[in-house]
PDB file of all heavy atoms in Angstrom:
ATOM      1  N   ILE A 676      -9.458  -5.200 -24.926  1.00 97.00           N
ATOM      2  CA  ILE A 676      -9.926  -4.816 -26.289  1.00 97.00           C
ATOM      3  C   ILE A 676     -11.275  -4.054 -26.066  1.00 97.00           C
ATOM      4  O   ILE A 676     -11.495  -3.049 -26.809  1.00 97.00           O
ATOM      5  CB  ILE A 676     -10.062  -6.066 -27.089  1.00 97.00           C
ATOM      6  CG1 ILE A 676      -8.720  -6.656 -27.404  1.00 97.00           C
ATOM      7  CG2 ILE A 676     -10.873  -5.758 -28.384  1.00 97.00           C
ATOM      8  CD1 ILE A 676      -8.748  -8.020 -28.100  1.00 97.00           C
ATOM      9  N   VAL A 677     -12.094  -4.477 -25.178  1.00 97.00           N
ATOM     10  CA  VAL A 677     -13.342  -3.786 -24.957  1.00 97.00           C
ATOM     11  C   VAL A 677     -13.077  -2.327 -24.464  1.00 97.00           C
ATOM     12  O   VAL A 677     -13.578  -1.396 -24.987  1.00 97.00           O
ATOM     13  CB  VAL A 677     -14.194  -4.594 -23.861  1.00 97.00           C
ATOM     14  CG1 VAL A 677     -15.472  -3.742 -23.558  1.00 97.00           C
ATOM     15  CG2 VAL A 677     -14.527  -5.948 -24.306  1.00 97.00           C
ATOM     16  N   TRP A 678     -12.142  -2.211 -23.454  1.00 97.00           N
ATOM     17  CA  TRP A 678     -11.744  -0.936 -23.055  1.00 97.00           C
ATOM     18  C   TRP A 678     -11.324  -0.028 -24.164  1.00 97.00           C
ATOM     19  O   TRP A 678     -11.719   1.111 -24.379  1.00 97.00           O
ATOM     20  CB  TRP A 678     -10.612  -0.978 -22.064  1.00 97.00           C
ATOM     21  CG  TRP A 678     -11.001  -1.132 -20.666  1.00 97.00           C
ATOM     22  CD1 TRP A 678     -11.170  -2.227 -19.889  1.00 97.00           C
ATOM     23  CD2 TRP A 678     -11.283   0.014 -19.770  1.00 97.00           C
ATOM     24  NE1 TRP A 678     -11.629  -1.882 -18.604  1.00 97.00           N
ATOM     25  CE2 TRP A 678     -11.663  -0.504 -18.541  1.00 97.00           C
ATOM     26  CE3 TRP A 678     -11.195   1.375 -19.950  1.00 97.00           C
ATOM     27  CZ2 TRP A 678     -11.972   0.240 -17.374  1.00 97.00           C
ATOM     28  CZ3 TRP A 678     -11.527   2.199 -18.861  1.00 97.00           C
ATOM     29  CH2 TRP A 678     -11.916   1.605 -17.608  1.00 97.00           C
ATOM     30  N   ARG A 679     -10.368  -0.604 -24.987  1.00 97.00           N
ATOM     31  CA  ARG A 679      -9.759   0.121 -26.111  1.00 97.00           C
ATOM     32  C   ARG A 679     -10.889   0.674 -27.029  1.00 97.00           C
ATOM     33  O   ARG A 679     -10.934   1.779 -27.374  1.00 97.00           O
ATOM     34  CB  ARG A 679      -8.852  -0.849 -26.838  1.00 97.00           C
ATOM     35  CG  ARG A 679      -8.264  -0.344 -28.146  1.00 97.00           C
ATOM     36  CD  ARG A 679      -7.656  -1.431 -28.906  1.00 97.00           C
ATOM     37  NE  ARG A 679      -8.651  -2.173 -29.760  1.00 97.00           N
ATOM     38  CZ  ARG A 679      -8.524  -3.271 -30.410  1.00 97.00           C
ATOM     39  NH1 ARG A 679      -7.284  -3.943 -30.348  1.00 97.00           N
ATOM     40  NH2 ARG A 679      -9.478  -3.892 -31.086  1.00 97.00           N
ATOM     41  N   ASP A 680     -11.764  -0.217 -27.409  1.00 96.00           N
ATOM     42  CA  ASP A 680     -12.783   0.100 -28.416  1.00 96.00           C
ATOM     43  C   ASP A 680     -13.833   0.989 -27.912  1.00 96.00           C
ATOM     44  O   ASP A 680     -14.271   1.967 -28.611  1.00 96.00           O
ATOM     45  CB  ASP A 680     -13.386  -1.114 -29.061  1.00 96.00           C
ATOM     46  CG  ASP A 680     -12.421  -1.914 -29.980  1.00 96.00           C
ATOM     47  OD1 ASP A 680     -11.273  -1.312 -30.126  1.00 96.00           O
ATOM     48  OD2 ASP A 680     -12.662  -3.072 -30.240  1.00 96.00           O
ATOM     49  N   VAL A 681     -14.274   0.905 -26.629  1.00 96.00           N
ATOM     50  CA  VAL A 681     -15.230   1.778 -26.059  1.00 96.00           C
ATOM     51  C   VAL A 681     -14.683   3.201 -26.082  1.00 96.00           C
ATOM     52  O   VAL A 681     -15.395   4.178 -26.382  1.00 96.00           O
ATOM     53  CB  VAL A 681     -15.656   1.298 -24.652  1.00 96.00           C
ATOM     54  CG1 VAL A 681     -16.462   2.395 -23.868  1.00 96.00           C
ATOM     55  CG2 VAL A 681     -16.492  -0.023 -24.764  1.00 96.00           C
ATOM     56  N   ILE A 682     -13.429   3.388 -25.526  1.00 97.00           N
ATOM     57  CA  ILE A 682     -12.858   4.699 -25.419  1.00 97.00           C
ATOM     58  C   ILE A 682     -12.509   5.315 -26.702  1.00 97.00           C
ATOM     59  O   ILE A 682     -12.820   6.480 -26.986  1.00 97.00           O
ATOM     60  CB  ILE A 682     -11.707   4.575 -24.467  1.00 97.00           C
ATOM     61  CG1 ILE A 682     -12.241   4.244 -23.038  1.00 97.00           C
ATOM     62  CG2 ILE A 682     -11.041   5.981 -24.367  1.00 97.00           C
ATOM     63  CD1 ILE A 682     -11.212   4.164 -21.957  1.00 97.00           C
ATOM     64  N   ASN A 683     -11.945   4.586 -27.603  1.00 97.00           N
ATOM     65  CA  ASN A 683     -11.590   5.180 -28.888  1.00 97.00           C
ATOM     66  C   ASN A 683     -12.822   5.588 -29.664  1.00 97.00           C
ATOM     67  O   ASN A 683     -12.823   6.654 -30.283  1.00 97.00           O
ATOM     68  CB  ASN A 683     -10.721   4.131 -29.716  1.00 97.00           C
ATOM     69  CG  ASN A 683      -9.233   4.164 -29.263  1.00 97.00           C
ATOM     70  OD1 ASN A 683      -8.841   5.055 -28.518  1.00 97.00           O
ATOM     71  ND2 ASN A 683      -8.481   3.198 -29.826  1.00 97.00           N
ATOM     72  N   THR A 684     -13.852   4.760 -29.606  1.00 96.00           N
ATOM     73  CA  THR A 684     -15.170   5.103 -30.302  1.00 96.00           C
ATOM     74  C   THR A 684     -15.715   6.328 -29.752  1.00 96.00           C
ATOM     75  O   THR A 684     -16.223   7.212 -30.403  1.00 96.00           O
ATOM     76  CB  THR A 684     -16.098   3.935 -30.246  1.00 96.00           C
ATOM     77  OG1 THR A 684     -15.425   2.698 -30.759  1.00 96.00           O
ATOM     78  CG2 THR A 684     -17.291   4.117 -31.103  1.00 96.00           C
ATOM     79  N   PHE A 685     -15.700   6.387 -28.395  1.00 96.00           N
ATOM     80  CA  PHE A 685     -16.306   7.546 -27.686  1.00 96.00           C
ATOM     81  C   PHE A 685     -15.600   8.836 -28.170  1.00 96.00           C
ATOM     82  O   PHE A 685     -16.316   9.857 -28.535  1.00 96.00           O
ATOM     83  CB  PHE A 685     -16.126   7.343 -26.208  1.00 96.00           C
ATOM     84  CG  PHE A 685     -16.510   8.589 -25.379  1.00 96.00           C
ATOM     85  CD1 PHE A 685     -17.808   8.858 -25.071  1.00 96.00           C
ATOM     86  CD2 PHE A 685     -15.501   9.455 -24.947  1.00 96.00           C
ATOM     87  CE1 PHE A 685     -18.201   9.998 -24.434  1.00 96.00           C
ATOM     88  CE2 PHE A 685     -15.931  10.593 -24.137  1.00 96.00           C
ATOM     89  CZ  PHE A 685     -17.272  10.909 -23.954  1.00 96.00           C
ATOM     90  N   PHE A 686     -14.277   8.936 -28.220  1.00 97.00           N
ATOM     91  CA  PHE A 686     -13.651  10.139 -28.630  1.00 97.00           C
ATOM     92  C   PHE A 686     -13.760  10.399 -30.098  1.00 97.00           C
ATOM     93  O   PHE A 686     -13.968  11.531 -30.564  1.00 97.00           O
ATOM     94  CB  PHE A 686     -12.168  10.118 -28.200  1.00 97.00           C
ATOM     95  CG  PHE A 686     -12.027  10.292 -26.726  1.00 97.00           C
ATOM     96  CD1 PHE A 686     -11.562   9.297 -25.884  1.00 97.00           C
ATOM     97  CD2 PHE A 686     -12.360  11.521 -26.171  1.00 97.00           C
ATOM     98  CE1 PHE A 686     -11.433   9.472 -24.560  1.00 97.00           C
ATOM     99  CE2 PHE A 686     -12.216  11.768 -24.714  1.00 97.00           C
ATOM    100  CZ  PHE A 686     -11.697  10.746 -23.918  1.00 97.00           C
ATOM    101  N   ASN A 687     -13.779   9.314 -30.889  1.00 97.00           N
ATOM    102  CA  ASN A 687     -14.004   9.467 -32.304  1.00 97.00           C
ATOM    103  C   ASN A 687     -15.391  10.095 -32.583  1.00 97.00           C
ATOM    104  O   ASN A 687     -15.480  10.916 -33.409  1.00 97.00           O
ATOM    105  CB  ASN A 687     -13.810   8.151 -32.987  1.00 97.00           C
ATOM    106  CG  ASN A 687     -13.968   8.293 -34.413  1.00 97.00           C
ATOM    107  OD1 ASN A 687     -14.973   7.908 -35.041  1.00 97.00           O
ATOM    108  ND2 ASN A 687     -12.865   8.761 -35.073  1.00 97.00           N
ATOM    109  N   ASP A 688     -16.401   9.629 -31.841  1.00 96.00           N
ATOM    110  CA  ASP A 688     -17.717  10.194 -31.985  1.00 96.00           C
ATOM    111  C   ASP A 688     -17.780  11.696 -31.567  1.00 96.00           C
ATOM    112  O   ASP A 688     -18.582  12.406 -32.120  1.00 96.00           O
ATOM    113  CB  ASP A 688     -18.689   9.405 -31.109  1.00 96.00           C
ATOM    114  CG  ASP A 688     -19.052   8.107 -31.699  1.00 96.00           C
ATOM    115  OD1 ASP A 688     -18.782   7.889 -32.857  1.00 96.00           O
ATOM    116  OD2 ASP A 688     -19.694   7.227 -30.868  1.00 96.00           O
ATOM    117  N   LYS A 689     -16.982  12.045 -30.592  1.00 96.00           N
ATOM    118  CA  LYS A 689     -16.981  13.381 -30.227  1.00 96.00           C
ATOM    119  C   LYS A 689     -16.277  14.319 -31.224  1.00 96.00           C
ATOM    120  O   LYS A 689     -16.839  15.347 -31.581  1.00 96.00           O
ATOM    121  CB  LYS A 689     -16.146  13.610 -28.891  1.00 96.00           C
ATOM    122  CG  LYS A 689     -16.841  13.212 -27.663  1.00 96.00           C
ATOM    123  CD  LYS A 689     -16.818  14.307 -26.607  1.00 96.00           C
ATOM    124  CE  LYS A 689     -17.746  13.971 -25.434  1.00 96.00           C
ATOM    125  NZ  LYS A 689     -18.901  14.757 -25.343  1.00 96.00           N
ATOM    126  N   CYS A 690     -15.121  13.883 -31.781  1.00 96.00           N
ATOM    127  CA  CYS A 690     -14.349  14.879 -32.531  1.00 96.00           C
ATOM    128  C   CYS A 690     -14.348  14.512 -34.028  1.00 96.00           C
ATOM    129  O   CYS A 690     -13.964  15.359 -34.829  1.00 96.00           O
ATOM    130  CB  CYS A 690     -12.896  14.926 -32.072  1.00 96.00           C
ATOM    131  SG  CYS A 690     -11.968  13.385 -32.476  1.00 96.00           S
ATOM    132  N   HIS A 691     -14.800  13.340 -34.409  1.00 96.00           N
ATOM    133  CA  HIS A 691     -14.835  12.956 -35.823  1.00 96.00           C
ATOM    134  C   HIS A 691     -13.505  13.009 -36.512  1.00 96.00           C
ATOM    135  O   HIS A 691     -13.517  13.312 -37.695  1.00 96.00           O
ATOM    136  CB  HIS A 691     -15.958  13.780 -36.562  1.00 96.00           C
ATOM    137  CG  HIS A 691     -17.321  13.614 -35.981  1.00 96.00           C
ATOM    138  ND1 HIS A 691     -18.058  12.357 -36.177  1.00 96.00           N
ATOM    139  CD2 HIS A 691     -18.030  14.390 -35.187  1.00 96.00           C
ATOM    140  CE1 HIS A 691     -19.191  12.524 -35.509  1.00 96.00           C
ATOM    141  NE2 HIS A 691     -19.229  13.661 -34.891  1.00 96.00           N
ATOM    142  N   ILE A 692     -12.462  12.915 -35.791  1.00 96.00           N
ATOM    143  CA  ILE A 692     -11.139  12.909 -36.384  1.00 96.00           C
ATOM    144  C   ILE A 692     -10.755  11.437 -36.609  1.00 96.00           C
ATOM    145  O   ILE A 692     -10.766  10.646 -35.670  1.00 96.00           O
ATOM    146  CB  ILE A 692     -10.062  13.609 -35.663  1.00 96.00           C
ATOM    147  CG1 ILE A 692     -10.536  15.108 -35.413  1.00 96.00           C
ATOM    148  CG2 ILE A 692      -8.722  13.497 -36.288  1.00 96.00           C
ATOM    149  CD1 ILE A 692      -9.604  15.864 -34.552  1.00 96.00           C
ATOM    150  N   GLU A 693     -10.525  11.014 -37.781  1.00 95.00           N
ATOM    151  CA  GLU A 693     -10.208   9.583 -38.086  1.00 95.00           C
ATOM    152  C   GLU A 693      -8.817   9.218 -37.642  1.00 95.00           C
ATOM    153  O   GLU A 693      -7.872   9.931 -37.642  1.00 95.00           O
ATOM    154  CB  GLU A 693     -10.371   9.317 -39.597  1.00 95.00           C
ATOM    155  CG  GLU A 693     -11.804   8.881 -39.894  1.00 95.00           C
ATOM    156  CD  GLU A 693     -12.014   8.209 -41.146  1.00 95.00           C
ATOM    157  OE1 GLU A 693     -11.257   7.207 -41.425  1.00 95.00           O
ATOM    158  OE2 GLU A 693     -12.961   8.640 -41.867  1.00 95.00           O
ATOM    159  N   ASP A 694      -8.673   7.997 -37.259  1.00 96.00           N
ATOM    160  CA  ASP A 694      -7.446   7.252 -36.883  1.00 96.00           C
ATOM    161  C   ASP A 694      -6.548   7.294 -38.183  1.00 96.00           C
ATOM    162  O   ASP A 694      -7.071   6.747 -39.275  1.00 96.00           O
ATOM    163  CB  ASP A 694      -7.739   5.905 -36.349  1.00 96.00           C
ATOM    164  CG  ASP A 694      -6.522   5.094 -36.233  1.00 96.00           C
ATOM    165  OD1 ASP A 694      -5.423   5.679 -35.998  1.00 96.00           O
ATOM    166  OD2 ASP A 694      -6.711   3.892 -36.293  1.00 96.00           O
ATOM    167  N   GLU A 695      -5.398   7.811 -38.159  1.00 96.00           N
ATOM    168  CA  GLU A 695      -4.476   7.744 -39.322  1.00 96.00           C
ATOM    169  C   GLU A 695      -4.199   6.380 -39.786  1.00 96.00           C
ATOM    170  O   GLU A 695      -3.901   6.153 -40.991  1.00 96.00           O
ATOM    171  CB  GLU A 695      -3.203   8.414 -38.970  1.00 96.00           C
ATOM    172  CG  GLU A 695      -3.088   9.872 -38.964  1.00 96.00           C
ATOM    173  CD  GLU A 695      -1.843  10.431 -38.192  1.00 96.00           C
ATOM    174  OE1 GLU A 695      -0.951   9.650 -37.967  1.00 96.00           O
ATOM    175  OE2 GLU A 695      -1.852  11.621 -37.950  1.00 96.00           O
TER     176      GLU A 695
END
Side-chain angles (χ1 to χ4, degrees):
I676 292 172
V677 177
W678 267 94
R679 177 193 81 191
D680 291 350
V681 167
I682 293 181
N683 278 349
T684 306
F685 172 79
F686 285 112
N687 184 258
D688 284 347
K689 280 233 172 253
C690 70
H691 300 285
I692 300 174
E693 273 197 48
D694 171 26
E695 282 165 11

